[in-house]
Amino acid sequence: MRLKSSYLFAAGILAVVVLYFVVRGLFGANDREAQAKETAPMAMRHEDPLVQVALTPEQLKPYSVVVRGHTESNRTVVVRAETAGAVASTPVVEGSFVRAGQVLCRQAVEARQATLDQARAALKSRQLQRAASAELAEKGFRSQTQVLQDQANLDSATAGVRQAEVALDQINIRAPFAGVFDHRDAEVGTYLSPGQACGTVIELDPVLIVGDVAETETPQLHVGSIATAKLVSGETLSGRVRYVAHDADPQTRTYRVEIVARNPGARVRSGLSAEVVVSAGAGPAHLVPETALVLDSAGRQGVRYVQSDGRVAFAPVKVLDEAPGGVWVAGLRGNVRLITVGQSYVSEGQKVRVASR
């Protein structure tokens, strides 16, 4: 049975319409997916960045200044001869402790003892002469002028004895203070002229810890401030600042600082490296995670935080000290909503969203 041409034409039109809707449905879905992919990032780009913050309170923290230096003797004196003569004995062992006035080197007596004996004999003669003159004056056989002359002769003889005693004692070269006889310069037989050295005595109790500080830190240091020094040997000394220089070193532009500390038994030697922490009062500070520190466009170290209006702000800070929970910094005021996550991806003045914890 043959179909009429009109039926064939209608069937063709129907097939074309069905094919059109099928093809449109397939490509329309792909277009919608592509459009969704393009519009989704646009929507996300219009949302404010998401950050995490931690409320960081302001706290009162003791300030300190760290000084790196070394120990020094409180006093160092080269003990010298006052008179000429050969060294007859050296009763003190080099490196031993000495008392104030202890003999370090003894020169030969030579004729000094004879000079003293002669002066004492002259003094005895003048004493007898003065006594006889006074007795004769009482009886009227001696004038008052002669009595005064005999008294002057007695005074002169007394001074002669004293001078001879001093000259004899000068052969003993003594320690000027208690300390350590650290170095010997003269041995037995060495001839010393006045001013030549017998040896060196150093005082180690108290001991000094000296160092140099930057010009920015000197305003925080004061004479009398408490200081604690940790030595390279592991020992710890406590003392106080006794001197802060007012004239900077022309080469380094730093200022010398001296801390004096007790050193019983001189157990701490001179020349040991030390790290000193000097108390410099107290002030406001914040404890922040070390990872929260960032650099701004000018290269300043600081932190970013969220203000009450939801915008980011930057505050330059100075690191004061390290702690188990982070670092102590100065430069912030009051309680701060510190950005702890995302601080490197936001900028000052930018609106952000705070993630809830």
Side-chain angles (χ1 to χ4, degrees), residues 64-294:
S64 62
V65 176
V66 177
V67 181
R68 289 175 174 81
H70 60 276
T71 58
E72 279 188 7
S73 59
N74 185 41
R75 287 187 287 179
T76 300
V77 173
V78 178
V79 186
R80 303 181 183 275
E82 296 182 78
T83 186
V87 176
S89 64
T90 54
V92 176
V93 178
E94 189 177 42
S96 61
F97 296 95
V98 294
R99 304 181 306 276
Q102 188 171 345
V103 176
L104 306 177
C105 296
R106 181 175 285 112
Q107 295 172 284
V109 175
E110 298 177 341
R112 294 180 182 85
Q113 184 61 55
T115 302
L116 177 58
D117 294 340
Q118 184 179 9
R120 286 173 175 170
L123 174 61
K124 187 174 182 180
S125 174
R126 294 301 184 182
Q127 288 173 337
L128 293 174
Q129 186 175 351
R130 172 66 178 80
S133 179
E135 185 177 349
L136 290 173
E138 289 179 0
K139 296 178 180 180
F141 298 110
R142 178 79 67 174
S143 66
Q144 190 63 31
T145 302
Q146 290 175 319
V147 173
L148 293 176
Q149 181 62 51
D150 291 337
Q151 180 62 47
N153 292 337
L154 176 60
D155 293 340
S156 178
T158 302
V161 171
R162 179 58 185 155
Q163 183 177 2
E165 289 175 342
V166 171
L168 181 60
D169 187 65
Q170 284 178 339
I171 67 172
N172 298 311
I173 305 175
R174 304 177 184 275
F177 49 79
V180 178
F181 186 45
D182 196 57
H183 180 70
R184 182 190 304 285
D185 292 304
E187 298 293 342
V188 174
T190 303
Y191 186 86
L192 296 179
S193 299
Q196 287 189 302
C198 160
T200 303
V201 178
I202 62 175
E203 184 181 39
L204 291 175
D205 185 19
V207 69
L208 295 182
I209 303 101
V210 301
D212 298 307
V213 297
E215 54 189 348
T216 56
E217 295 180 325
T218 51
Q220 303 178 52
L221 299 179
H222 305 281
V223 173
S225 297
I226 299 174
T228 302
K230 185 175 182 180
L231 308 181
V232 68
S233 61
E235 296 179 271
T236 302
L237 294 176
S238 297
R240 291 182 178 273
V241 176
R242 81 166 190 180
Y243 171 73
V244 180
H246 288 77
D247 187 21
D249 185 291
Q251 302 298 325
T252 62
R253 305 304 304 167
T254 57
Y255 292 81
R256 179 181 171 92
V257 176
E258 295 181 358
I259 294 97
V260 60
R262 291 301 310 275
N263 183 25
R267 68 182 188 278
V268 174
R269 299 173 181 270
S270 177
L272 295 178
S273 298
E275 183 178 89
V276 188
V277 178
V278 182
S279 175
H286 291 72
L287 181 62
V288 304
E290 191 171 359
T291 55
L293 298 175
V294 295

